[in-house]
Amino acid sequence: MPRFARMIADAMHARGHQVEFWTAAPIVCRLPVPSRLKKWLGYIDQFIFFPLQARWRLRRLPSNTLFVFSDQALGPWVPLIAKHPHVIHVHDFMALRSALGEHVQNPTNWTGRYYQSLIRRGFGKGKNFISVSENTKKDLHRFLSKTPNLSEVIYNGMNFTYRPMTQVDSKAELSTAGIDFPKTGFLLHVGGNQWYKNRYGVIEIYKAYLERTESPLPLWMIGPPPTEQMKEIVQSLDGNKDIRFITGVSNELLCAIYSSARLLIFPSLAEGFGWPIAEAMSCGCLVLTTDEAPMTEVGGSAALYIPVKQPKDAANWAKLAGERVSEILALTDDSVHELKIAGFKQAALFEADQTLDAYEHIYKQVLARGSN
């Protein structure tokens, strides 16, 4: 979220607007205490000192000030400025839905449930919202007690110029990073170890793919290091397994990886948006993802789909997905070319300047309405 906020701030500043960041300053949490207490001291900074500072600053602001919240998780501070022109960016409700028991894969303790209730009560005081997808907007309206003044969907804009790289350029980029390029190509997953990214599901799909393939492609998993459990599962796989975990990848290197991969496997259980889908399509990489929003919103007709994994039917799900991978890899050159062209067109919907222009339009609209 800090990077998202900085992107907006830089873009609005470049468009001639004066921008200030308001955030809780580290005061109490600087005290020399054990690290386990730092989190709780941080709450004192956020919930006691920051509101005092904000109320003082509010007294000196010009009337044509718009408050922009970069994430609805900042909800506890919305009541401070609810009477002023404001816009709240809404990304996803996975934490809130988990706290409400809607994501059984991610149980939440009582402190987490209480914190999410604070967030919900806070953003519930908001009046103007920008959601990253229709799916997120639907959840937002479900959690609000009244219809907001403004609620629009603006898809995220990519913060890097992902594009198809030639094989020569891709190999050079990979070689610079000390990564060997397999001649046969490789399967790809991009994402972290969060429960909803379904990294374990990716490995299950690869296992099913191995069982039906004599000469399987390697699987590259881009993100943080694997958990110990993931390592054990990988070690237990039979056959010609070849799974590589790659960490610390720059945008340029990721661009080369997308451009070289045969297929992105992205079986997320839930997402706020689903960046890797758009990034992969921008680089000419085929995408296999789950057939629920917002993945279907980002992938459109250019992506290929499998059902979302259900805990009670995990084995059949992995088998079906493994078969789908084999089918996609067997597509004719013409079919692959058509999917790539469709992917380029779909990815163009998420061009950064287009997104930022839409943000600015809404900011001006809300500010003008508030001033009147």
Side-chain angles (χ1 to χ4, degrees):
M1 287 306 105
R3 186 169 63 175
F4 177 74
R6 174 56 64 184
M7 177 191 71
I8 294 176
D10 290 345
M12 295 305 122
H13 184 268
R15 286 163 165 77
H17 304 289
Q18 183 179 346
V19 180
E20 292 183 8
F21 275 101
W22 286 22
T23 187
I27 301 174
V28 180
C29 70
R30 284 182 172 176
L31 295 175
V33 297
S35 57
R36 68 179 183 276
L37 299 178
K38 289 287 187 181
K39 173 182 177 181
W40 300 100
L41 294 182
Y43 287 144
I44 295 175
D45 287 335
Q46 294 178 50
F47 290 101
I48 297 178
F49 286 105
F50 177 68
L52 293 174
Q53 295 167 342
R55 289 188 180 97
W56 176 258
R57 296 176 74 175
L58 281 169
R59 299 167 59 187
R60 298 176 294 164
L61 284 176
S63 59
N64 63 337
T65 298
L66 173 73
F67 290 89
V68 177
F69 289 81
S70 61
D71 185 13
Q72 84 282 350
L74 299 172
W77 298 277
V78 169
L80 292 171
I81 56 81
K83 295 181 180 180
H84 297 261
H86 63 270
V87 173
I88 303 170
H89 285 270
V90 188
H91 297 272
D92 69 75
F93 289 102
M94 280 180 280
L96 177 54
R97 292 185 63 191
S98 294
L100 294 173
E102 295 183 12
H103 288 307
V104 295
Q105 308 95 327
N106 187 44
T108 307
N109 60 28
W110 73 267
T111 56
R113 294 194 296 271
Y114 178 72
Y115 187 54
Q116 288 302 317
S117 71
L118 287 179
I119 291 174
R120 181 178 181 179
R121 287 202 298 269
F123 71 68
K125 303 293 183 181
K127 298 179 179 67
N128 307 292
F129 299 88
I130 297 175
S131 299
V132 298
S133 69
E134 292 290 349
N135 186 64
T136 295
K137 178 182 175 180
K138 181 178 70 175
D139 280 341
L140 170 67
H141 287 215
R142 183 160 63 93
F143 294 131
L144 291 175
S145 60
K146 59 182 179 181
T147 302
N149 293 347
L150 181 146
S151 181
E152 298 288 345
V153 172
I154 299 177
Y155 292 122
N156 281 336
M158 284 182 281
N159 58 7
F160 181 78
T161 309
Y162 288 99
R163 75 281 180 195
M165 296 176 67
T166 66
Q167 192 173 75
V168 172
D169 290 340
S170 296
K171 284 185 177 180
E173 190 68 33
L174 291 167
S175 178
T176 301
I179 301 174
D180 295 328
F181 179 84
K183 295 180 180 179
T184 56
F186 52 91
L187 304 174
L188 177 65
H189 177 261
V190 177
N193 289 329
Q194 302 96 323
W195 65 272
Y196 59 89
K197 293 295 183 183
N198 197 21
R199 254 186 161 189
Y200 290 102
V202 176
I203 298 173
E204 291 169 5
I205 292 173
Y206 188 65
K207 178 183 177 181
Y209 162 71
L210 288 176
E211 292 172 351
R212 57 180 291 111
T213 309
E214 292 184 2
S215 301
L217 299 180
L219 170 64
W220 288 13
M221 301 190 73
I222 312 300
T227 65
E228 290 302 316
Q229 185 179 1
M230 283 181 196
K231 292 179 183 178
E232 292 175 4
I233 293 174
V234 169
Q235 288 298 321
S236 69
L237 297 182
D238 297 326
N240 299 321
K241 64 185 178 190
D242 186 356
I243 300 179
R244 177 182 297 189
F245 292 90
I246 303 175
T247 63
V249 173
S250 67
N251 287 330
E252 191 68 19
L253 178 57
L254 184 57
C255 187
I257 291 172
Y258 279 134
S259 299
S260 305
R262 295 277 299 277
L263 176 67
L264 173 73
I265 302 174
F266 195 74
S268 286
L269 304 175
E271 288 285 341
F273 181 71
W275 281 110
I277 299 172
E279 293 169 354
M281 291 190 300
S282 295
C283 299
C285 178
L286 303 189
V287 175
L288 176 65
T289 186
T290 38
D291 60 357
E292 291 189 4
M295 282 69 72
T296 51
E297 292 183 60
V298 181
S301 60
L304 301 156
Y305 297 99
I306 53 174
V308 174
K309 177 184 175 182
Q310 301 298 329
K312 295 181 179 179
D313 196 32
N316 288 332
W317 174 83
K319 181 180 178 181
L320 171 67
E323 292 173 355
R324 195 78 176 101
V325 169
S326 296
E327 291 170 1
I328 295 169
L329 295 176
L331 289 174
T332 65
D333 291 343
D334 287 343
S335 296
V336 170
H337 179 72
E338 289 176 4
L339 283 170
K340 287 185 176 183
I341 295 300
F344 293 142
K345 292 179 179 178
Q346 182 70 13
L349 298 175
F350 314 112
E351 197 272 328
D353 285 339
Q354 177 177 291
T355 295
L356 292 166
D357 288 344
Y359 288 166
E360 185 184 30
H361 174 75
I362 287 181
Y363 293 167
K364 289 180 176 179
Q365 179 182 342
V366 170
L367 187 56
R369 183 187 299 166
S371 299
N372 292 334

